[in-house]
Amino acid sequence: MTLIDVALALPLFRTFTYRVPEGTTGSTSVGSRVLVPFRNGREIGIVVGPSEPRAGINYKQVIAAPDDAPVMDAPMLQLCTWIAEYYVSPLGVVLRTALPAALTGANAPVPARKTRRVVEIIAELPSLLKRDRLFARSPQQRAVFELLESIGGRAALKLLAEQLDFSASVLSGLVTRGLVRVGVETVERDPFLTRARRPPDTHLPSDAQRTAIQRLAVAEPGHVVLLHGVTGSGKTLVYLELLRRIVLEQGKTAIVLVPEIALTPQTVDRFRAVFGDRIAVLHSALSDGERHDAWQALRRGDKRIAVGARSAIFAPLRDLGAIVLDEEHESSYKQGEAPRYHAREVAIVRARAEGAVVVLGSATPSLESWTNATSGKYELLTLPDRAGGATLPIVHIVDLRAKQVKLKPSDTPEADAAFALAISAPLADRLRDRLAKREQSILLLNRRGYAAFVQCGACGDVAVCPNCSISLTYHRTPERLVCHYCQHAEALHVVCARCGGARMRQRGLGTQQVERLLSERFPAARIARMDVDTTSGKWAHADILDRVGAGDVDILLGTQMIAKGLDFPNVTLVGVIDADVGINLPDFRASERCFQLLSQVAGRAGRGPKGGEVFIQTRSPSHHAVQCAVTHDYYRFVREELAGRVHPPYPPNVRIANVVVSGTQEDATARLATSVTAWLHRLLEARPAFGVTVIGPAPCPVERVKNRWRWHVLIKSTRQQDLGRIGRFLVERFEVPKQFGLRLTLDRDPVALL
Ligand code: ADP
Ligand code: ZN
């Protein structure tokens, strides 16, 4: 009798034993998929080993073995086992994450894309007055029209329907009135395949670049290098030279990780310029089928470089020679659901096992990587200057607390007052100047929507989400209040829900409002807004960025998504509308995030020969995150920030795991948090050798999300093995009562504690 152990993608920390019936044709060796009965259904699992029979057990039979050969080789299985151990996640859940969805049935099969219906605006409605009259009796038509407007005037019907609930008659009403047209189009092919191929850069490396390239050429297998290069220092050229050697000369393979493909089409273009069809770009817009094709091509060796976000670290490449992690400080490298892995840690473990070199690149390395580089665990390579003779931009602070930056007396009152509250006089002057010189500007406001929240002018009550402990954001086009945590939307309150007062005030700027203020003040300017609301189309990011690159945009306004990797030499001005968004969040990384964001967005200015300058508007001009961004002083920032994480200790001075308990009932959740803490204390009393401290419990800073109450307990230790052991004990042994939807999750090395 042949018995096998199978890992299933279930929240259970064990494998299951099945019998392989005689005459099974497919592969049942380690790493193969098998279809097995489980409870009343069937599951796809991965064979993790042979098993020994035990007396008295009637083993269930494997239903089918669909593979000719294992889908997962031994090194990948080992990597997944490490992830399961370290992040305290069931092995089956990790294996499912590492394989394309088409193989594990994690998602319903997606039909091949062929045609789709698209809706397009054919009549502009510039005047608000006309709009009010036209839509007086059809607010639903208005909502659809304005949604369509806000995403560029054209969108797939399916996408519109996902965003807004409306009936077919609403759409046909718009068509009858000649406002929109509905058409059918063939779905475009993967634009990364059809994108114009740019010629490769032909720069001669600078001395610093050459040193880095030479060091990497002699790096031992498993070696980790932190490439700390200021913004615009030419880190990409160093990556390209490394890959040229690894892939073209040595015939090995490589993985390039970027925070998000959609936001970095330029980086991808540069790799494609050099390596062409050897690259598989694993972007989020691929269908399950396309992703599977790319995966197969990498496995067969037809493609030798995988470029992608976080999960591309699981690319099925053999002979791996190098892993590049660009913008290694980005929090998107950490997965927010189980398994809560960090691609940087996984990359390092994978590279060590398979003999590859790792390059972590950033202008603002995470404190973790910096500490590892200065302690000698990683090698530190530095590109201290901008490439091609460019210099870092001059950064000015505009103190929003000072009166004189606001109103200019000669201006007409109302509209200008609103404008001046958003854009200070010095920044407005520079914007006007850039428009006159036909140079480009980038404006950052890390808050989407129209106004941050609405507040009653009489009693001060703020409209909050019924499901989350968070205020609702006011959106226009379509007009509604939206929760940015759970997407709950409701109509704008005309009267206060608490006191019935009729003076509901909008507070705090959002990108929609700034876009409007800019277009009123600079009617001739071509303004592009880039935030989650304008980029719901699959290629919306790349489209906007391509327009900026082609010079068709004068002002690019957006949330943090405009701060990444963009390289536009004609951008000579960067403005930060409100640097204080996020700076005071109750999270130990709030300052680090803020410094990184300010430094990165400032780094978009002056990358060409014309130079550039940056204006940061803030009410906390003396905050060290702001100060160090102004002086481009990463070293000082790290020094001060590390010192601030000693009492109480936070990473990288200590390792932490965040245990979050949640449930639908407030009391039950709090009680569970208390008993988890007591359980941990008892465990530690029994094992005094463990160097672990337990902090809490306390309600999470965001106490309620999607109708679930949340409490957390922090486990800290300087010894990561102890932390791992305690975490595993807790997750595997602590029994969570089966009521009130109670859940317990453990997040090892969390990137945020909100
Ligand atoms: P980073 O990623 O470090 O911010 P990039 O790799 O985007 O910087 O390079 C910034 C710009 O400098 C790009 O336009 C690139 O083509 C250019 N560049 C890179 N290396 C050189 C060099 N040695 N000489 C001249 N220009 C260079
Ligand atoms: Zn909500």
Side-chain angles (χ1 to χ4, degrees):
M1 177 165 72
T2 314
L3 290 178
I4 50 172
D5 274 337
V6 176
L8 299 174
L10 303 167
L12 297 167
F13 287 87
R14 50 163 299 194
T15 55
F16 296 87
T17 308
Y18 290 92
R19 189 160 64 80
V20 181
E22 299 282 321
T24 299
T25 45
S27 163
T28 52
S29 48
V30 173
S32 306
R33 293 179 303 158
V34 281
L35 186 65
V36 295
F38 188 80
R39 303 226 167 109
N40 296 324
R42 302 160 156 214
E43 295 277 338
I44 288 187
I46 304 289
V47 183
V48 293
S51 190
E52 291 298 318
R54 274 178 294 158
I57 296 184
N58 189 11
Y59 293 101
K60 286 188 186 168
Q61 283 196 135
V62 168
I63 299 167
D67 298 322
D68 297 332
V71 290
M72 205 165 244
D73 59 14
M76 185 57 74
L77 204 55
Q78 229 168 29
L79 184 70
C80 291
T81 307
W82 178 83
I83 294 172
E85 282 274 307
Y86 186 87
Y87 293 101
V88 197
S89 185
L91 178 58
V93 173
V94 180
L95 295 173
R96 186 184 56 190
T97 303
L99 287 169
L103 287 181
T104 56
N107 291 339
V110 178
R113 297 191 288 178
K114 280 184 223 82
T115 57
R116 62 174 182 183
R117 293 170 73 194
V118 286
V119 190
E120 192 177 359
I121 292 183
I122 48 177
E124 304 269 297
L125 285 178
S127 139
L128 265 181
L129 205 66
K130 214 165 129 193
R131 194 176 284 218
D132 286 343
R133 224 177 303 129
L134 194 65
F135 288 121
R137 301 242 197 91
S138 40
Q140 275 202 302
Q141 287 188 11
R142 179 175 191 150
V144 172
F145 185 85
E146 293 188 335
L147 172 63
L148 197 54
E149 232 178 9
S150 73
I151 50 186
R154 187 170 199 282
L157 179 57
K158 182 159 164 285
L159 193 134
L160 281 183
E162 275 166 18
Q163 301 264 314
L164 205 64
D165 217 19
F166 60 89
S167 65
S169 67
V170 173
L171 190 63
S172 58
L174 284 167
V175 173
T176 315
R177 299 170 101 170
L179 296 171
V180 308
R181 171 169 62 205
V182 181
V184 174
E185 68 169 22
T186 31
V187 175
E188 81 269 46
R189 294 189 38 226
D190 180 351
F192 275 104
L193 294 176
T194 51
R195 254 175 104 77
R197 188 76 64 78
R198 54 177 271 166
D201 290 340
T202 50
H203 306 298
L204 279 181
S206 66
D207 287 348
Q209 283 170 325
R210 184 168 304 118
T211 308
I213 293 162
Q214 284 167 350
R215 276 299 311 149
L216 283 168
V218 296
E220 300 278 314
H223 195 68
V224 183
V225 166
L226 176 64
L227 181 63
H228 175 218
V230 300
T231 55
S233 59
K235 293 183 283 293
T236 316
L237 187 138
V238 177
Y239 307 149
L240 287 171
E241 287 309 311
L242 170 68
L243 263 53
R244 219 192 279 274
R245 206 169 41 74
I246 295 282
V247 177
L248 301 185
E249 289 174 23
Q250 302 178 358
K252 294 188 186 171
T253 64
I255 298 174
V256 178
L257 298 185
V258 294
E260 213 176 316
I261 289 277
L263 297 180
T264 49
Q266 286 185 308
T267 310
V268 176
D269 286 349
R270 282 197 201 151
F271 281 94
R272 285 188 359 106
V274 176
F275 300 103
D277 294 337
R278 293 182 186 84
I279 295 188
V281 182
L282 304 168
H283 51 84
S284 57
L286 293 180
S287 68
D288 285 355
E290 289 166 330
R291 185 171 296 273
H292 182 228
D293 290 348
W295 188 86
Q296 291 287 11
L298 288 162
R299 203 163 114 90
R300 283 192 308 265
D302 293 350
K303 306 272 182 188
R304 309 195 62 79
I305 301 176
V307 179
R310 184 174 67 225
S311 64
I313 194 58
F314 298 111
L317 290 161
R318 296 187 186 123
D319 264 336
L320 190 64
I323 303 177
V324 170
L325 236 109
D326 193 24
E327 312 291 359
E328 68 86 34
H329 61 278
E330 281 283 340
S331 52
S332 63
Y333 283 125
K334 171 97 166 149
Q335 178 148 299
E337 56 191 50
R340 296 182 159 75
Y341 71 94
H342 198 301
R344 180 178 60 220
E345 306 312 313
V346 177
I348 290 168
V349 172
R350 180 168 183 186
R352 201 185 300 138
E354 298 179 32
V357 174
V358 181
V359 183
L360 310 175
S362 177
T364 52
S366 62
L367 295 199
E368 280 83 353
S369 294
W370 181 256
T371 308
N372 283 330
T374 48
S375 74
K377 201 169 152 200
Y378 305 163
E379 180 178 4
L380 179 63
L381 297 174
T382 309
L383 306 179
D385 303 309
R386 281 197 157 174
T391 50
L392 284 170
I394 296 166
V395 185
H396 308 275
I397 287 189
V398 181
D399 185 346
L400 292 178
R401 297 167 310 178
K403 278 268 174 337
Q404 66 276 15
V405 301
K406 292 183 186 156
L407 281 183
K408 278 174 124 191
S410 62
D411 285 340
T412 46
E414 208 179 306
D416 282 344
F419 182 84
L421 280 176
I423 315 252
S424 63
L427 179 53
D429 284 347
R430 296 316 195 283
L431 277 171
R432 197 173 298 116
D433 170 70
R434 295 315 192 271
L435 289 168
K437 291 201 281 209
R438 305 210 135 263
E439 293 172 7
Q440 293 169 298
S441 305
I442 287 182
L443 293 179
L444 169 78
L445 175 58
N446 205 9
R447 194 191 287 125
R448 66 195 173 90
Y450 194 85
F453 55 95
V454 286
Q455 188 173 33
C456 172
C459 76
D461 195 45
V462 171
V464 294
C465 175
N467 313 321
C468 311
S469 52
I470 205 91
S471 57
L472 293 169
T473 305
Y474 173 45
H475 282 243
R476 286 214 183 155
T477 66
E479 182 166 73
R480 51 191 173 164
L481 295 173
V482 180
C483 171
H484 286 180
Y485 271 71
C486 74
Q487 314 309 328
H488 164 87
E490 59 186 67
L492 184 64
H493 304 186
V494 260
V495 294
C496 172
R498 193 164 83 183
C499 76
R503 284 184 300 136
M504 295 304 285
R505 299 240 163 93
Q506 298 160 16
R507 306 246 185 238
L509 288 170
T511 45
Q512 289 184 341
Q513 188 168 173
V514 173
E515 179 186 23
R516 176 177 162 185
L517 293 168
L518 286 169
S519 60
E520 284 168 359
R521 173 60 64 101
F522 305 115
R526 296 162 303 170
I527 301 165
R529 190 180 104 220
M530 188 155 137
D531 56 33
V532 169
D533 301 309
T534 62
T535 50
S536 49
K538 278 180 176 171
W539 302 105
H541 303 88
D543 289 347
I544 295 174
L545 296 178
D546 285 348
R547 270 163 55 213
V548 178
D552 296 337
V553 170
D554 301 311
I555 302 175
L556 173 64
L557 161 72
T559 53
Q560 96 296 347
M561 59 172 71
I562 59 167
K564 333 234 155 171
L566 306 183
D567 184 39
F568 297 119
N570 199 35
V571 171
T572 58
L573 174 68
V574 164
V576 179
I577 309 272
D578 184 354
D580 309 341
V581 177
I583 206 169
N584 291 317
L585 282 180
D587 190 284
F588 72 98
R589 277 190 224 273
S591 297
E592 184 180 359
R593 284 272 153 64
C594 176
F595 171 75
Q596 286 163 347
L597 181 59
L598 294 178
S599 305
Q600 294 289 346
V601 76
R604 304 311 115 205
R607 294 167 81 92
K610 294 174 194 158
E613 58 183 337
V614 180
F615 284 79
I616 297 180
Q617 305 189 145
T618 175
R619 282 186 182 76
S620 353
S622 54
H623 193 289
H624 77 293
V626 176
Q627 285 285 319
C628 297
V630 168
T631 50
H632 305 290
D633 195 344
Y634 175 77
Y635 304 109
R636 181 181 144 205
F637 177 76
V638 169
R639 230 175 17 249
E640 297 183 0
E641 186 62 24
L642 276 178
R645 295 193 196 171
V646 175
H647 301 294
Y650 276 107
N653 293 320
V654 70
R655 300 282 195 132
I656 61 176
N658 191 24
V659 179
V660 176
V661 298
S662 61
T664 52
Q665 220 247 3
E666 188 176 10
D667 288 352
T669 309
R671 273 198 307 276
L672 179 61
T674 309
S675 58
V676 165
T677 313
W679 192 95
L680 284 168
H681 282 302
R682 275 200 303 280
L683 180 75
L684 291 175
E685 271 164 36
R687 290 175 179 71
F690 276 172
V692 172
T693 41
V694 175
I695 317 260
C700 293
V702 184
E703 248 180 299
R704 201 161 62 113
V705 173
K706 299 183 188 171
N707 267 324
R708 297 180 63 82
W709 296 90
R710 306 164 72 237
W711 279 64
H712 70 152
V713 185
L714 270 191
I715 315 179
K716 295 185 175 181
S717 177
T718 48
R719 296 206 297 257
Q720 66 102 350
Q721 287 88 345
D722 290 355
L723 193 62
R725 226 168 289 154
I726 296 279
R728 261 191 305 284
F729 267 131
L730 177 70
V731 174
E732 296 183 18
R733 311 232 175 124
F734 183 88
E735 238 174 89
V736 178
K738 288 195 172 37
Q739 48 179 349
F740 306 121
L742 290 169
R743 277 207 290 265
L744 180 152
T745 61
L746 180 131
D747 187 2
R748 194 135 183 220
D749 305 334
V751 292
L753 298 180
L754 296 175

